[in-house]
Amino acid sequence: MQNDHPEKGSSCSVDPIRKLEDLQAIEKLLSSNPRDRLLFVLGTNNGLRVTDLLNLKIKDVKGLKIGDSLMVTESKTGKRNWIVINKKVFKALSHYLDSNPDLSPEDALFKSRKTGKGLKIQAVNKMIKQWTKAINLRGRFGCHSLRKTWGYHMRTKYGAGFEVIAKRFNHSSPAVTMRYLGIEDKEVHTLLMNEVG
């Protein structure tokens, strides 16, 4: 069996979920699990690291409406960033909160059913691998796949510039973001297919 963990000190590159139908298939798969669906939707619609999503508490999100934003401090960089509630996130959040009326304001938003505490990053990594495997998605997937999925779709579907995505990711430069999303070569190839003259 292949070991998916990088050696200490090295990094492991994971893929974004590129196809809209694959995103929809995972959402459908998670339709009977409001917590996991919210985690997936929030991750793919905001581009924050999963660790920052796991730090959220019920009191942070209760009462938020479409268009509202929530300021967070990134655990990795210490920089401030924000979560914006779009229609899709609002729907998933409302469904989750309505399905779990016993959650208290101090509870972790993504609470483990086993421990009663917040989910750990390792558990979420395993969950994402299970979801992608369940829909027969080929590639390497993990926690960063949610963040990369947001960036990938902002670039390819909405035409957002690397500068804007780099700002959202708190990357040091657009070049870092280009490498992170792994779509530079594909875009260069597409450009080269254009005829001049």
Side-chain angles (χ1 to χ4, degrees), residues 37 74 91 147:
R37 184 169 177 269
E74 294 183 347
K91 193 174 173 185
R147 177 172 158 91

Side-chain angles (χ1 to χ4, degrees), residues 119-187:
L119 287 172
K120 299 286 185 216
I121 198 81
Q122 295 86 351
V124 176
N125 211 37
K126 189 176 177 183
M127 287 159 53
I128 293 166
K129 289 179 190 301
Q130 289 169 344
W131 303 338
T132 52
K133 188 177 180 183
I135 65 158
N136 296 315
L137 193 55
R138 298 179 68 86
R140 292 180 68 99
F141 300 98
C143 287
H144 271 283
S145 293
L146 303 188
R147 177 172 158 91
K148 283 187 176 187
T149 296
W150 177 84
Y152 180 86
H153 287 274
M154 289 302 113
R155 178 69 186 152
T156 60
K157 185 177 178 184
Y158 296 103
F162 284 113
E163 299 81 5
V164 177
I165 299 170
K167 183 172 173 53
R168 173 57 176 160
F169 283 162
N170 271 328
H171 283 166
S172 57
S173 74
V176 172
T177 304
M178 288 171 81
R179 283 194 304 275
Y180 181 74
L181 293 178
I183 54 179
E184 181 182 12
D185 293 343
K186 185 178 175 185
E187 288 206 357

Side-chain angles (χ1 to χ4, degrees), residues 14-190:
V14 295
D15 298 316
I17 300 167
R18 293 178 175 88
K19 293 182 181 174
L20 193 59
E21 56 264 31
D22 292 330
L23 288 168
Q24 292 166 342
I26 292 174
E27 275 191 62
K28 188 175 179 186
L29 176 75
L30 302 177
S31 61
S32 61
N33 188 328
R35 182 201 68 187
D36 292 0
R37 184 169 177 269
L38 174 60
L39 179 60
F40 182 73
V41 167
L42 194 56
T44 56
N45 276 267
N46 263 282
L48 288 181
R49 291 178 186 86
V50 169
T51 48
D52 296 322
L53 301 180
L54 296 182
N55 288 333
L56 294 172
K57 294 189 173 184
I58 295 295
K59 67 180 180 183
D60 298 327
V61 298
K62 201 152 184 137
L64 292 177
K65 300 180 290 301
I66 295 169
D68 286 348
S69 58
L70 170 69
M71 193 62 71
V72 295
T73 302
E74 294 183 347
S75 51
K76 182 177 180 180
T77 65
K79 293 178 181 176
R80 289 164 63 101
N81 215 326
W82 62 93
I83 291 172
V84 174
I85 307 299
N86 66 19
K87 286 181 186 175
K88 195 174 193 88
V89 170
F90 178 75
K91 193 174 173 185
L93 177 61
S94 299
H95 181 63
Y96 174 61
L97 294 176
D98 291 346
S99 304
N100 294 279
D102 298 334
L103 289 170
S104 78
E106 291 298 325
D107 278 337
L109 180 60
F110 299 107
K111 187 175 172 181
S112 167
R113 286 180 280 273
K114 287 181 185 172
T115 66
K117 295 178 181 167
L119 287 172
K120 299 286 185 216
I121 198 81
Q122 295 86 351
V124 176
N125 211 37
K126 189 176 177 183
M127 287 159 53
I128 293 166
K129 289 179 190 301
Q130 289 169 344
W131 303 338
T132 52
K133 188 177 180 183
I135 65 158
N136 296 315
L137 193 55
R138 298 179 68 86
R140 292 180 68 99
F141 300 98
C143 287
H144 271 283
S145 293
L146 303 188
R147 177 172 158 91
K148 283 187 176 187
T149 296
W150 177 84
Y152 180 86
H153 287 274
M154 289 302 113
R155 178 69 186 152
T156 60
K157 185 177 178 184
Y158 296 103
F162 284 113
E163 299 81 5
V164 177
I165 299 170
K167 183 172 173 53
R168 173 57 176 160
F169 283 162
N170 271 328
H171 283 166
S172 57
S173 74
V176 172
T177 304
M178 288 171 81
R179 283 194 304 275
Y180 181 74
L181 293 178
I183 54 179
E184 181 182 12
D185 293 343
K186 185 178 175 185
E187 288 206 357
V188 170
H189 182 271
T190 302

